[in-house]
Amino acid sequence: MEILMSIMIGIVFTVSIYLFLSRSLLRVTLATLLMSHGVHLLLLTMSGLQRGASPFLNFQADAYTDPLPQALVLTAIVISFGVTSLLLVMAYRTFKVHNTDDLDELRGSADE
Amino acid sequence: MNNLVILPIIFPFVIGAVLILLTKHHKLQRIVSGISALVLLAISIYLAVVVYQDGLIVLELGNWPAPFGIVMVADLLSTLMVLLSTLVSTVCLFFAFKTISPEREKFYFYPLYFFLLIGVNGAFLTGDLFNLFVFFEVMLIASYALIVHGGTSYQLRESFKYVIINVFASALFIVAIAWTYSITGTLNMAHLAERVAELEQSGVLNVVAILFLIVFAMKGALFPLYFWLPRSYYGPPAAIAALFGGLLTKVGIYAIIRTFTLIFNHDPGYTHKGIIVTIAGFTMLFGVLGAVSQFDFKRILSYHIISQVGYMVMGLGIFTPLAVAGAIYYIAHHMIVKTALFLFAGVAQRVTGTTDLKQMGGLLKTHPVLAWMFFITAISLAGIPPLSGFFSKFPIILAGFEEAQYVISGVALLVGLLTLFSMMKIFSYAFWGEQKHTEEQARLPIGKLLLPIAPLVALTIILGFAAEPMFVYSLEVAEQIMDPSIYIESVLKE
């Protein structure tokens, strides 16, 4: 199961790196979104996907899944949610001000 | 008593939250934030003194024992960093009172300022790897908002890239944390250090160490990951640029020093003396070459941040007590001097209306106090003997020669020369020569703007003349961080 997940996360990373290198503001923003998905899945996978009950004590199972990575992922999800919404607004404002979403045209220094 | 450790984090948090309610009252906002910045400075000085006298303080949050709960650890290095960060931020805040436009003040400038401080102080004081990530994000999100604050077209364009780079680095940080957790099964730094030492040497640990190095190098602007810095620091107003220039990259450097002295010290021949030293050499060289080639006041200073970050990492890479002490002294010197220089750039911009060196000139005649204060700080940056810059570079280069790292020491000496050259370029273009600003601009009073910067200039002179006690202190810091057993034992209570 871990190997399958690893391959899948690898594919997600590849796609997001490809999007990072594209020229459109929106595609780059989507890349950060996809990257965070890959990272969160990796965090869950790296701690092991062994079978066990959900981490609720009233299940009274012999073994539970590791609760720590789930807490970490939950934290990371809200952080990346906040950052992504900020990034979307910034991309929108940049588009409004510069009238372009092409990152090649958003280069150069202030005095150029 | 132990709760003292968390005060530098809780206090700005409460103040930042209160300031959100006061955004419409300019006067009140300034008074509250000014007083609380001074109180915060007092707290951090007190914390530094307490830790210096009584040793390391560990606070277990929620009374959970060490590897299971989150711990806050205040050792000599982190209290020094907290002290420096609050000092720098207080100066920048008082400078901001005079320079930030009311429109920017109205839109949550001061709350964001204090939220940035939570992140920075938290990153210095935490003893948990994931908690470090969270505090990094607190700091970064506040910095995203501050760097784009005001929303000029240049700021929007460059901040977008700044945010993207940092989001990518944060994603890699989680990857590194996930990997560490799968190898060791813990996130507490002391416990991690113990387990990494037990694992003996294994290749996968080196990979994780380098992954952490890449992440922190992106935040701390090391070669080859520094390309985002000069442009994004050009956009925001002087007070924010000075705060970022003095503070933010040093959080990355602190994280490198912490992880590579405490956790990943299993194979110093490969990680420290091999990779870190090489990176430091290239960082110093390319940073200063960028600075030499520029013709803009702020941009020269931005490139200098890169080259000086290289010195700190070089001190860590050589990895003897002398070199690490030099690196710590260098951080203290650099944070003070770099903030002052960025603020001088802001004052010069206020007078002449530009930061382009070719359109400046003759400031020495019309504003002599500014000129001489800048001159002192500039030669301190380049490392001229009676000032702090000399005594911080000397031990690093000396240790380099002692350890037979001749190439890197030669590079460090050459970079010092080029630094002096580019600072003198600023001085000769902006301060000497014909007066290019109008008579009206020449009469502009700037005494009030220089007042907040004066303590920093005084400090660089004091740190130079009081080099011995300061160096003894940084040597103690270096010895404490190079012997991680003290840290591990006081956190895990063995």
Side-chain angles (χ1 to χ4, degrees):
Chain A
M1 191 63 193
E2 276 90 349
I3 291 173
L4 189 67
M5 286 295 282
S6 308
I7 292 169
M8 209 187 77
I9 293 162
I11 293 169
V12 170
F13 269 41
T14 318
V15 175
S16 79
I17 297 288
Y18 177 77
L19 283 176
F20 261 121
L21 298 176
S22 64
R23 283 167 56 178
S24 148
L25 284 177
L26 201 58
R27 276 169 194 263
V28 174
T29 315
L30 275 179
T32 65
L33 208 64
L34 208 56
M35 183 90 184
S36 71
H37 283 329
V39 164
H40 298 155
L41 286 175
L42 183 78
L43 199 51
L44 286 177
T45 311
M46 287 296 247
S47 61
L49 295 170
Q50 73 272 41
R51 286 165 190 278
S54 310
F56 290 107
L57 280 178
N58 55 2
F59 282 176
Q60 289 172 349
D62 296 332
Y64 295 95
T65 42
D66 190 349
L68 185 70
Q70 303 190 6
L72 301 188
V73 162
L74 200 59
T75 316
I77 286 173
V78 290
I79 289 173
S80 68
F81 174 74
V83 173
T84 307
S85 50
L86 179 77
L87 201 55
L88 276 171
V89 174
M90 267 174 69
Y92 175 70
R93 285 269 292 158
T94 312
F95 173 70
K96 281 291 227 188
V97 170
H98 289 275
N99 267 325
T100 177
D101 74 332
D102 188 340
L103 278 165
D104 268 2
E105 290 171 26
L106 294 171
R107 287 167 72 177
S109 53
D111 41 2
E112 274 168 27
Chain B
M1 189 56 218
N2 277 6
N3 289 341
L4 180 64
V5 179
I6 208 161
L7 266 185
I9 303 165
I10 289 286
F11 187 70
F13 176 64
V14 173
I15 297 298
V18 169
L19 282 172
I20 290 179
L21 304 174
L22 304 177
T23 43
K24 292 210 175 93
H25 310 279
H26 286 205
K27 260 268 162 62
L28 195 59
Q29 220 183 351
R30 288 183 185 187
I31 293 168
V32 171
S33 53
I35 290 173
S36 18
L38 290 175
V39 172
L40 191 60
L41 187 61
I43 291 172
S44 56
I45 291 171
Y46 181 62
L47 180 65
V49 171
V50 168
V51 169
Y52 184 69
Q53 284 172 344
D54 307 343
L56 211 130
I57 306 179
V58 179
L59 171 65
E60 291 165 344
L61 297 182
N63 275 341
W64 295 96
F68 306 113
I70 289 173
V71 286
M72 292 285 162
V73 187
D75 66 349
L76 287 174
L77 177 63
S78 43
T79 49
L80 177 69
M81 296 301 286
V82 169
L83 175 59
L84 286 168
S85 74
T86 45
L87 175 75
V88 163
S89 58
T90 310
V91 168
C92 290
L93 187 71
F94 278 92
F95 190 81
F97 289 158
K98 305 273 175 7
T99 52
I100 295 290
S101 63
E103 290 81 49
R104 288 192 177 182
E105 269 183 338
K106 219 185 296 175
F107 288 101
Y108 305 98
F109 175 76
Y110 297 114
L112 285 170
Y113 202 91
F114 280 91
F115 290 147
L116 184 80
L117 275 184
I118 306 171
V120 171
N121 286 346
F124 290 149
L125 288 171
T126 187
D128 184 281
L129 211 52
F130 195 77
N131 203 226
L132 180 69
F133 165 74
V134 174
F135 276 123
F136 257 97
E137 288 300 308
V138 172
M139 174 189 91
L140 286 173
I141 293 173
S143 80
Y144 301 156
L146 280 176
I147 208 166
V148 78
H149 203 251
T152 62
S153 63
Y154 181 82
Q155 268 180 310
L156 278 169
R157 198 178 72 188
E158 296 304 326
S159 311
F160 186 79
K161 296 165 196 169
Y162 173 80
V163 177
I164 291 291
I165 296 284
N166 278 301
V167 168
F168 186 73
S170 303
L172 283 189
F173 198 172
I174 307 185
V175 171
I177 287 174
W179 216 333
T180 319
Y181 183 66
S182 79
I183 297 167
T184 59
T186 180
L187 288 174
N188 180 291
M189 287 194 208
H191 202 209
L192 205 60
E194 203 181 49
R195 291 220 172 146
V196 165
E198 280 166 6
L199 280 172
E200 304 285 324
Q201 166 54 27
S202 81
V204 92
L205 281 175
N206 277 346
V207 176
V208 175
I210 297 307
L211 197 55
F212 272 111
L213 185 65
I214 291 172
V215 171
F216 296 137
M218 252 188 226
K219 319 261 183 199
L222 295 180
F223 175 85
L225 303 165
Y226 62 75
F227 48 84
W228 53 271
L229 189 140
R231 288 219 167 129
S232 52
Y233 280 17
Y234 185 80
I240 299 176
L243 183 72
F244 282 21
L247 206 54
L248 287 199
T249 47
K250 263 54 75 185
V251 184
I253 300 304
Y254 166 82
I256 292 178
I257 293 180
R258 180 61 83 200
T259 43
F260 279 86
T261 52
L262 181 64
I263 303 170
F264 300 112
N265 52 7
H266 53 279
D267 188 9
Y270 175 70
T271 49
H272 293 70
K273 295 197 169 68
I275 288 176
I276 292 182
V277 165
T278 315
I279 287 176
F282 280 115
T283 311
M284 286 191 286
L285 201 59
F286 281 86
V288 87
L289 286 181
V292 166
S293 71
Q294 294 292 324
F295 259 100
D296 187 282
F297 203 143
K298 268 184 175 171
R299 218 165 270 164
I300 289 179
L301 295 179
S302 307
Y303 273 106
H304 271 308
I305 298 178
I306 299 163
S307 79
Q308 278 135 27
V309 157
Y311 277 101
M312 302 163 198
V313 180
M314 172 187 163
L316 174 70
I318 293 169
F319 210 52
T320 60
L322 184 65
V324 176
I328 287 154
Y329 200 142
Y330 203 95
I331 292 177
H333 148 76
H334 169 89
M335 283 173 83
I336 290 165
V337 167
K338 184 53 75 182
T339 312
L341 284 175
F342 264 102
L343 293 178
F344 286 135
V347 178
Q349 190 181 11
R350 171 59 77 86
V351 174
T352 59
T354 178
T355 55
D356 187 354
L357 286 180
K358 284 177 180 159
Q359 293 170 27
M360 298 166 96
L363 273 173
L364 184 64
K365 207 175 279 173
T366 55
H367 297 91
V369 183
L370 168 68
W372 291 117
M373 276 165 85
F374 174 81
F375 183 75
I376 292 172
T377 331
I379 58 171
S380 173
L381 187 80
I384 303 294
L387 298 162
S388 62
F390 173 76
F391 295 103
S392 52
K393 275 180 192 166
F394 181 68
I396 302 180
I397 294 171
L398 183 68
F401 279 118
E402 276 178 4
E403 290 291 298
Q405 300 263 16
Y406 297 115
V407 179
I408 187 91
S409 310
V411 168
L413 286 171
L414 175 72
V415 169
L417 191 68
L418 290 174
T419 309
L420 185 64
F421 168 71
S422 55
M423 291 327 278
M424 285 307 109
K425 187 164 90 180
I426 296 182
F427 196 74
S428 62
Y429 272 91
F431 293 93
W432 271 329
E434 277 178 46
Q435 183 182 332
K436 287 185 182 152
H437 46 280
T438 60
E439 280 304 311
E440 197 184 336
Q441 283 172 325
R443 281 195 298 273
L444 208 69
I446 49 166
K448 277 187 176 169
L449 292 178
L450 291 178
L451 203 60
I453 322 175
L456 293 182
V457 180
L459 262 177
T460 182
I461 299 172
I462 293 169
L463 276 186
F465 281 102
E468 195 185 339
M470 181 59 202
F471 193 73
V472 170
Y473 179 74
S474 34
L475 208 56
E476 269 180 58
V477 177
E479 272 158 13
Q480 194 183 57
I481 58 174
M482 288 190 69
D483 181 13
S485 61
I486 307 166
Y487 186 100
I488 296 169
E489 274 160 25
S490 32
V491 171
L492 297 179
K493 308 251 160 43
E494 279 160 352

